[in-house]
Amino acid sequence: MDRLLVLHGPNLNLLGSREPEVYGRQALAEIDARLRARTESAGRAFESVQSNAEHVLVERVQAAAGDGTCFILLNPAAFTHTSVALRDALAAVAIPFIEVHLSNPHAREPFRRQSYFSDLAVGIVSGFGANSYSLALDAALARLARLAPAS
């Protein structure tokens, strides 16, 4: 079964309580539960990984090359602006991904406007709070349906 992998970067484990005026009040577990239900109802496996450690995300991306992962939703969080290692891992496995952000990085501090991932991503969804994940999932599932071989 094709797997959709969702990767959440540093501090996203604090969603719901961390700066709710910026990131909203929805906990990460709630976001993942909604994504899991929609992904599985579309007939695909779902996995979510959150880590504050860059190497954990890099290793998971590398493993995705051989485990049936067909698409990645990536919220790199602070790694957006710092992680060449995670970028290189995504480039190496060549699994399509969408970059996801809860806030709009372009409406925030200038250092947040640089992403190490945007030029590799199929697309970017940002600024819609927890709905950014849902919008990205809609796009990923639609893309996968278009690419599926005709029966």
Side-chain angles (χ1 to χ4, degrees):
M1 182 182 295
D2 292 335
R3 175 189 324 272
L4 187 118
L5 175 62
V6 181
L7 298 175
H8 308 282
N11 298 310
L12 292 173
N13 55 307
L14 300 176
L15 285 180
S17 62
R18 175 189 177 215
E19 300 176 82
E21 67 283 357
V22 175
Y23 301 107
R25 299 201 179 279
Q26 204 165 32
L28 187 60
E30 296 172 71
I31 293 169
D32 278 344
R34 189 174 67 242
L35 295 174
R36 176 181 300 280
R38 291 185 52 222
T39 301
E40 290 177 350
S41 72
R44 301 199 181 266
F46 176 88
E47 181 183 351
S48 173
V49 175
Q50 186 282 323
S51 184
N52 297 319
E54 181 181 40
H55 76 277
V56 171
L57 298 174
V58 168
E59 289 170 357
R60 185 60 193 94
V61 167
Q62 290 175 355
D67 71 2
T69 297
C70 60
F71 210 96
I72 298 171
L73 300 185
L74 170 69
N75 185 340
F79 292 145
T80 303
H81 328 291
T82 64
S83 185
V84 174
L86 187 54
R87 174 199 169 81
D88 287 351
L90 287 158
V93 301
I95 297 170
F97 72 94
I98 295 174
E99 183 179 345
V100 179
H101 297 284
L102 297 161
S103 67
N104 178 355
H106 297 282
R108 299 184 62 196
E109 303 93 336
F111 75 88
R112 295 189 192 273
R113 297 179 189 147
Q114 170 63 41
S115 169
Y116 282 102
F117 305 97
S118 297
D119 65 316
L120 296 178
V122 168
I124 305 157
V125 180
S126 66
F128 298 101
N131 286 332
S132 292
Y133 283 102
S134 296
L135 294 166
L137 180 60
D138 288 343
L141 293 174
R143 180 182 172 99
L144 290 170
R146 280 193 316 272
L147 298 176
S151 337

